[in-house]
Every structure is written in structure tokens, then in C-alpha cells.
Amino acid sequence: MKLSALATAAATAVVLLATGCTDPDAESAPTGAITFDLSAAQTGRVRAAKVDSIAAEVPQAIRGRGTLVVTGSSGTAPPLRFYADDDKTVVGSEIDFASLVADILGLKLDVRVADWAQNFVRIDSGEVDAFVSNVTVTEERKEKYDFATYRHDTVALEVPAQSTLEFKDRTSLAGKRIGVGSGTNQEQLLVKWNEQNRAQGLAPIDIAYFQQTSDYYLALASQRLDGFIGPNPTAIYHTATAKQTKILGTFSGAGDALQGEIAVLTKKNSGLVTAVQRALNHAIETGTYQQVIDRWGLQSEQVTESRINPPGLPKQR
């Protein structure tokens, strides 16, 4: 989504952050203001020095090329991955994490953009090295890809500001029109909830699918949706800046039984994931990871270590 779709022309945006609440009955509390850099220049991007011992783990083909080719979605929004104020440069926290990894591996970052499903195709074909765009670890994806984690996966239920909906659990969504990103783990979670609701004899959830963030923003603003389930960081940003919506609750993107995790995705057995994981753990140990977390207001999603292929969102039956 381009920045113009956010109805802002400024190079920076100040957002009053709220803590995510896993208990939907608890109200979110303001924790302070953060200034997001929406400019193409990104002069405040966190950088790191090359670590030779970690760089040596990179497959020779990538080392010889000298670049880390990273793809991601074009349809997300601040603070994750979005177009800057020039409407062409992709910036955000996901770019900063990828940049840190590239720096530590001694590589130049090459940022690519594609629709969500096409990112997987590009990994499959070997056109790109890594997919870094709020990608959740799932058991199904682990069959084809390797993962190195770097954030918790927290999703939010965002509703129109005028909504009177009270969210207690999945049953609160029965009979409601709820939007979700097509092909995402949020879709998988919502479909599962719908199946469970129907098994209890409840009205089905009317699931509406979206590819572009700007489209569901408009649907929420016009109250054509009762709610939208998406990444918590994006929901926090949007509710604070547009002031047309509110967050009713937050929860793990993997469901009740597991804390979901966001990870760098690489092709299975490509040999790259170990280097990426070591780079992320080095960034955590040296504090540069924390600087990126703080820069984009992601404190509620930070991790203490990067893990390779941890338990993921279960397969749908």
C-alpha cells in the first residue's frame, strides 16, 4: 500500500502506542508516543558490522554474488513493510530486520516486492534468497521452507470506531462479516474458528478476503465490515493515526494453544537459514535488534532468541 493511501503526506508520523492485550476484556493502556520515520531516506536505520565467522556460514553462491535478495508483500502498512513518502521505496521494520541480517552477513540488501502468494513462488524458483514480510511459521510451510524466528506473531481484531461489538472469544464473531488477508495465517485461524462455531450450531462467520491494506481500511471506515483480523502492529498504527477504528482484542496468530512466531523464510535445505539465525542472535546479543524493536514500537513482539523451525501453526484438518 502506498503512503498516499494512508492519507498522510508527512515524512514522519507520531503514534501514541498502546500495549496489546491478550485478555479482550482488558482495555489497552497508552505507553507513550513514538515517531515513525516514513521517509525514503531512512537516516535512522539501525546498522551493524559484518561478523566474519557468521558470514562464512552463507552459501558460496550468495557470498559470491555479494547480495542478499529479500522479497516481501507490497500490500502491508506501517510499521511493518510499506512504501515511503516517495511512493516507491519500501521501508519499515521488516526491511530493518533484513538490513541487520545482511550487514552481519557482509552482504548488500536487495529488496524486492511481490503479491503475497508470488513471494513463495519466488523462493521456490530460487529467484530470491529470503521472504521477510511478517511471515508466520506454520507446520505446512515447514514442509517446503526453513524458518529463523525474530518476532512473536500477535494478531488483532480491529473494528469500526462506532462498533458496539463485544469480543469475548471466537463465538462473538458468529454471524458477523469479518475481513482477513487472503493466504495468511490469520485466514487459517479465522477459518478454524468458523468451523468450530458451526460445529456448535452457531451462525457462520461471513469471511471477506482482501489483498490490499487500503481496501480493508476503506471497508472498516464505511462499516461494510464488522471487523478485520490482521497483524497487531499495523492495527495499532492505523487506529492511532486514522482514528476511524479501534482494537477489541489481541491474540496469538497460532491460536489458543501456541504462541505464533514470525520468521525469515528461506528455501528448504538451501543452507542459508543457519547463517540468518546466527545473525539474528548476534543482533539480539549486541542490542541492535532491540534498537529496531524500539524504532518501530514492537516491544510487545520481541523475542529473546532466534529459533530454527520451531513448532508452528498446526495444519488444517
Side-chain angles (χ1 to χ4, degrees):
M1 181 188 64
K2 296 200 174 186
L3 198 57
S4 55
L6 290 170
T8 177
T12 59
V14 178
V15 173
L16 186 65
L17 292 179
T19 55
C21 55
T22 53
D23 178 2
D25 292 325
E27 294 186 0
S28 297
T31 58
I34 182 173
T35 300
F36 287 147
D37 181 2
L38 309 182
S39 71
Q42 291 294 295
T43 55
R45 177 170 289 158
V46 181
R47 305 306 300 263
K50 177 183 178 182
V51 179
D52 291 336
S53 61
I54 302 177
E57 299 277 353
V58 177
Q60 180 56 48
I62 298 176
R63 274 189 286 154
R65 188 205 311 142
T67 59
L68 182 67
V69 185
V70 172
T71 192
S73 176
S74 61
T76 53
L80 297 175
R81 198 179 201 272
F82 58 99
Y83 285 106
D85 56 2
D86 64 354
D87 282 344
K88 63 181 181 180
T89 304
V90 183
V91 299
S93 63
E94 305 301 78
I95 302 300
D96 280 12
F97 285 121
S99 177
L100 263 189
V101 169
D103 283 350
I104 294 167
L105 299 182
L107 301 170
K108 181 180 179 181
L109 182 63
D110 181 349
V111 176
R112 308 283 179 89
V113 174
D115 289 337
W116 179 258
Q118 285 300 309
N119 289 304
F120 294 98
V121 174
R122 289 183 173 190
I123 289 287
D124 294 342
S125 68
E127 180 183 345
V128 301
D129 303 315
F131 181 8
V132 185
S133 189
N134 203 54
V135 183
T136 300
V137 180
T138 74
E139 290 303 307
E140 183 175 2
R141 290 172 183 167
K142 280 165 59 178
E143 294 178 353
K144 290 184 64 176
Y145 309 105
D146 286 322
F147 294 88
T149 62
Y150 62 95
R151 280 197 294 112
H152 287 313
D153 177 21
T154 304
V155 296
L157 173 62
E158 187 177 1
V159 301
Q162 307 92 325
S163 174
T164 59
L165 175 66
E166 294 183 2
F167 181 76
K168 300 295 184 182
D169 54 34
R170 58 175 168 78
T171 63
S172 303
L173 303 183
K176 304 299 183 183
R177 182 170 174 79
I178 304 297
V180 74
S182 178
T184 64
N185 75 297
Q186 294 97 26
E187 176 195 0
Q188 187 172 333
L189 182 65
L190 188 59
V191 168
K192 180 180 179 181
W193 282 357
N194 191 37
E195 291 172 350
Q196 292 172 328
N197 281 356
R198 296 184 70 175
Q200 291 180 228
L202 300 175
I205 300 170
D206 181 7
I207 301 176
Y209 294 95
F210 292 84
Q211 290 288 354
Q212 299 297 323
T213 309
S214 54
D215 293 338
Y216 80 73
Y217 282 175
L218 290 173
L220 282 173
S222 62
Q223 300 184 65
R224 288 183 287 113
L225 285 177
D226 293 306
F228 185 90
I229 293 179
N232 185 51
T234 301
I236 290 174
Y237 181 92
H238 182 234
T239 56
T241 55
K243 302 186 184 305
Q244 297 173 323
T245 58
K246 59 186 178 182
I247 296 173
L248 286 192
T250 62
F251 28 86
S252 166
D256 297 335
L258 179 71
Q259 173 58 60
E261 294 196 63
I262 301 297
V264 176
L265 178 151
T266 66
K267 192 172 184 177
K268 195 76 173 177
N269 299 322
S270 68
L272 181 59
V273 73
T274 298
V276 171
Q277 184 226 19
R278 289 190 61 193
L280 287 167
N281 278 328
H282 176 79
I284 292 171
E285 292 165 4
T286 58
T288 50
Y289 169 87
Q290 185 68 54
Q291 291 176 47
V292 175
I293 288 288
D294 292 344
R295 184 175 190 235
W296 296 105
L298 299 173
Q299 290 84 355
S300 65
E301 302 197 352
Q302 70 186 75
V303 297
T304 56
E305 66 172 336
S306 174
R307 301 194 293 166
I308 293 177
N309 296 333
L313 184 66
K315 289 183 180 180
Q316 288 182 293
R317 295 180 179 178

